Amino acid sequence: FTRAQLDRPLKDLDFSPLLDRMSFNDSVFANFLGALVEQANFNDPDVPCGIVGAQNPSLWGGYDYAKLCAKLQFLEPYDAGSAPEIARSLGRGRVVVASTHFHQDEPGRDSWEAWSRFAHGQRAMIGWVDDSWFDGTRPRAWLGEFAPTLKELGGVQGAKLAGARWLHDGVAIYYSHASVQVSWVLDSEAHGKTWPNRGSDDLRGTSHLVRKAWENLINDAGLQYDFLGYDRVLQEGVPEEYGVLVLPACYALSDAEARRIRAFAERGGRVVADFMCGLFDQHGRGRARGALDDLFGVAHDGAERAGDFFGDRLWVETDQDAGYAAARWGELPIVEGTTMRDGFSVAERRIEGPVARGGARYLNLSPHRYLALLAEGHAAPLHRELFLGGLELDPAVRVEGDAHPEGIRYAQGGRELLLIVQNPPLQADGSRPIRRGTVPLTLTFRAPVRDAVDERTGKPLGEGARFEVPFTRTEAVFLSYAR
């Protein structure tokens, strides 16, 4: 797509030749893998079959995760573009999600990484063995320090989560692969003819950064979520277990998806979109009016051009060519002419402020800058209120303490399991330096629990709605209890 093709009104944009081809390729690849899985299971039904190196959701250099998760039993996604959480959610317990462990010489990081990935639903770690692992034929000292963690997780705790069901706080983030594809096309406009050099969409792509910002907004509010795939919504609608549906940079929706989302809102579900929602159909063809304009109470007419969104010359918030070498959150330059509100980019010039109609909210703001605020140490409740306010969200358990903790719950055998791990704040370069030491935590449950047990020590904790527990930051608190 040339810049001349993108210099048209919205209703005249048509990315379908590319998007349909890439969607077809995704389907062929997923069906091919599915056939391999069936053959492998025919030969040995006890061996899960899948792929490693599964990258992350993207049009170019990635996959449609809804299609992968429908066909595979085993997946090793990259720790990029929200891929592990998307695989965990869309796999719905059918897909074994694994990760690759790259050792870093930071005391305690190996143990923290193993516990964190275990808590987040990953069931295997693949060791990337290089010179940091061995001195000649002798294991390096850190392997001995790491061994007790691996023994406990592999030999004791791992089985407790086998078949367990992830528990969320009623929040679903929509996974629209068509929107990921449209985002890629709009993002790549800045590169012109050099677009084949583009890589690392997870570090600069609009859909990736907006999705990551929503994850952090929700986590920092003490909440847990699922990603909800477009394929499941098409088949079933939005399941009743969710009360809130977030549409992040959801550029592209089919008429059928829009009907399903509208039905969710009509039965009392709350829907929140950030910007440019449903302005394309599932094939990447621009619409004369947004697929959910009537739900949100906004109006598009298809005559919009790039200059009606964000800045003066691109369809997206950031100039990803000018910021191609950006290595830190917040370094991607905001397109000149973009209006800011409360520190965030206003997306659509024809819409004034956020719009609310019933339980539906159209924010007209991009949450992308929340990642930079986190990295700078400036993220605050008032920023989260801009995006989450009015959604009536109340976590099942609040975890408080000087450790940036995250509480993750599962259901298993009539009991709930609670894992608390350190969720280190993002740094400016996207890294997450961990803290060490042991600190106290306060757990406050929305409703009292009974027969609470420390799963790591076997110590009974009794019943109640409030507990004080010690927390070793590079490991985890692991409790079970009955409701």
Side-chain angles (χ1 to χ4, degrees):
F1 291 94
T2 65
R3 286 178 174 168
Q5 287 174 294
L6 283 161
D7 187 22
R8 297 176 180 178
L10 170 66
K11 62 182 175 55
D12 294 333
L13 297 181
D14 184 1
F15 308 146
S16 61
L18 174 61
L19 268 60
D20 286 350
R21 169 55 62 184
M22 297 306 289
S23 296
F24 176 76
N25 291 346
D26 280 332
S27 295
V28 169
F29 182 61
N31 288 335
F32 168 70
L33 292 174
L36 291 181
V37 169
E38 291 177 4
Q39 182 61 39
N41 287 339
F42 179 78
N43 293 328
D44 190 344
D46 295 326
V47 178
C49 181
I51 61 172
V52 297
Q55 302 184 49
N56 64 87
S58 183
L59 177 146
W60 186 263
Y63 302 99
D64 181 339
Y65 264 56
K67 292 178 179 176
L68 285 187
C69 290
K71 296 291 183 179
L72 300 180
Q73 297 171 306
F74 171 88
L75 192 64
E76 186 261 338
Y78 286 7
D79 189 10
S82 311
E85 295 301 318
I86 292 172
R88 186 266 304 164
S89 300
L90 273 56
R92 298 167 64 190
R94 300 187 308 265
V95 179
V96 175
V97 181
S99 62
T100 295
H101 171 223
F102 299 91
H103 171 67
Q104 299 179 40
D105 285 325
E106 181 182 355
R109 172 166 287 275
D110 302 297
S111 177
W112 166 77
E113 184 175 330
W115 275 107
S116 179
R117 293 179 186 275
F118 173 68
H120 279 266
Q122 297 176 32
R123 293 293 167 261
M125 287 180 66
I126 303 168
W128 187 267
V129 181
D130 55 22
D131 291 341
S132 69
W133 287 56
F134 293 93
D135 181 7
T137 59
R138 297 180 61 82
R140 295 192 183 273
W142 71 266
L143 282 163
E145 298 167 0
F146 188 29
T149 297
L150 294 178
K151 288 180 178 179
E152 181 178 357
L153 285 173
V156 180
Q157 310 300 351
K160 297 176 183 178
L161 288 193
R165 178 171 56 88
W166 173 280
L167 296 176
H168 52 76
D169 288 298
V171 182
I173 304 176
Y174 198 54
Y175 175 69
S176 163
H177 195 72
S179 296
V180 173
Q181 294 175 314
V182 168
S183 176
W184 187 93
V185 176
L186 298 179
D187 291 339
S188 66
E189 178 189 5
H191 302 299
K193 293 182 179 179
T194 66
W195 73 264
N197 298 329
R198 180 184 174 87
S200 300
D201 269 14
D202 61 295
L203 300 179
R204 58 182 60 86
T206 297
S207 68
H208 294 74
L209 295 178
V210 167
R211 190 165 61 240
K212 179 60 69 175
W214 274 109
E215 286 187 90
N216 281 277
L217 284 162
I218 294 166
N219 269 154
D220 290 349
L223 300 155
Q224 290 298 332
Y225 58 88
D226 271 340
F227 280 99
L228 179 61
Y230 68 91
D231 56 333
R232 187 178 180 191
V233 169
L234 282 169
Q235 295 167 16
E236 306 174 17
V238 179
E240 293 188 2
E241 64 189 275
Y242 303 109
V244 174
L245 178 64
V246 176
L247 304 175
C250 198
Y251 295 104
L253 288 170
S254 67
D255 292 340
E257 288 171 278
R259 285 194 298 271
R260 293 291 204 180
I261 293 170
R262 199 177 291 109
F264 168 71
E266 289 171 353
R267 70 169 190 259
R270 298 180 295 283
V271 182
V272 56
D274 38 37
F275 59 87
M276 296 179 72
C277 181
L279 299 192
F280 295 82
D281 70 11
Q282 73 274 28
H283 301 285
R285 291 189 290 252
R287 292 179 177 273
R289 64 193 299 264
L292 289 174
D293 279 6
D294 58 336
L295 174 64
F296 293 113
V298 298
H300 300 91
D301 60 14
E304 295 88 352
R305 292 177 178 269
D308 292 310
F309 302 98
F310 295 109
D312 297 324
R313 60 186 182 86
L314 296 174
W315 288 85
V316 293
E317 178 179 7
T318 58
D319 186 331
Q320 296 164 30
D321 193 62
Y324 194 80
R328 303 161 73 89
W329 296 116
E331 284 189 351
L332 281 175
I334 302 296
V335 176
E336 187 175 349
T338 298
T339 300
M340 306 299 287
R341 187 171 81 234
D342 298 316
F344 297 89
S345 298
V346 175
E348 304 188 37
R349 297 183 178 187
R350 296 189 180 191
I351 297 175
E352 293 186 11
V355 178
R357 172 177 285 186
R361 301 182 67 221
Y362 199 85
L363 302 174
N364 197 23
L365 276 185
S366 168
H368 166 207
R369 272 285 300 166
Y370 188 74
L371 298 175
L373 291 170
L374 274 177
E376 297 159 2
H378 297 149
L382 62 91
H383 299 124
R384 294 189 284 277
E385 182 67 17
L386 286 170
F387 294 90
L388 301 176
L391 296 179
E392 303 175 12
L393 297 168
D394 185 20
V397 56
R398 294 188 182 275
V399 185
E400 299 171 293
D402 182 25
H404 209 271
E406 178 184 15
I408 298 170
R409 296 178 301 126
Y410 290 86
Q412 177 75 291
R415 292 176 67 82
E416 286 189 9
L417 305 172
L418 172 66
L419 285 137
I420 301 169
V421 292
Q422 182 182 175
N423 184 25
L426 289 167
Q427 301 300 295
D429 61 356
S431 64
R432 290 178 176 266
I434 60 170
R435 295 180 180 181
R436 295 183 295 279
T438 300
V439 295
L441 293 181
T442 300
L443 315 182
T444 305
F445 289 85
R446 190 168 57 213
V449 301
R450 54 187 174 81
D451 189 24
V453 175
D454 184 325
E455 288 291 328
R456 298 191 65 190
T457 66
K459 178 182 176 181
L461 302 178
E463 61 182 64
R466 185 180 176 90
F467 298 85
E468 304 284 341
V469 295
F471 175 44
T472 300
R473 289 163 160 159
T474 55
E475 299 180 14
V477 172
F478 190 8
L479 309 182
S480 72
Y481 48 86
R483 287 288 185 183

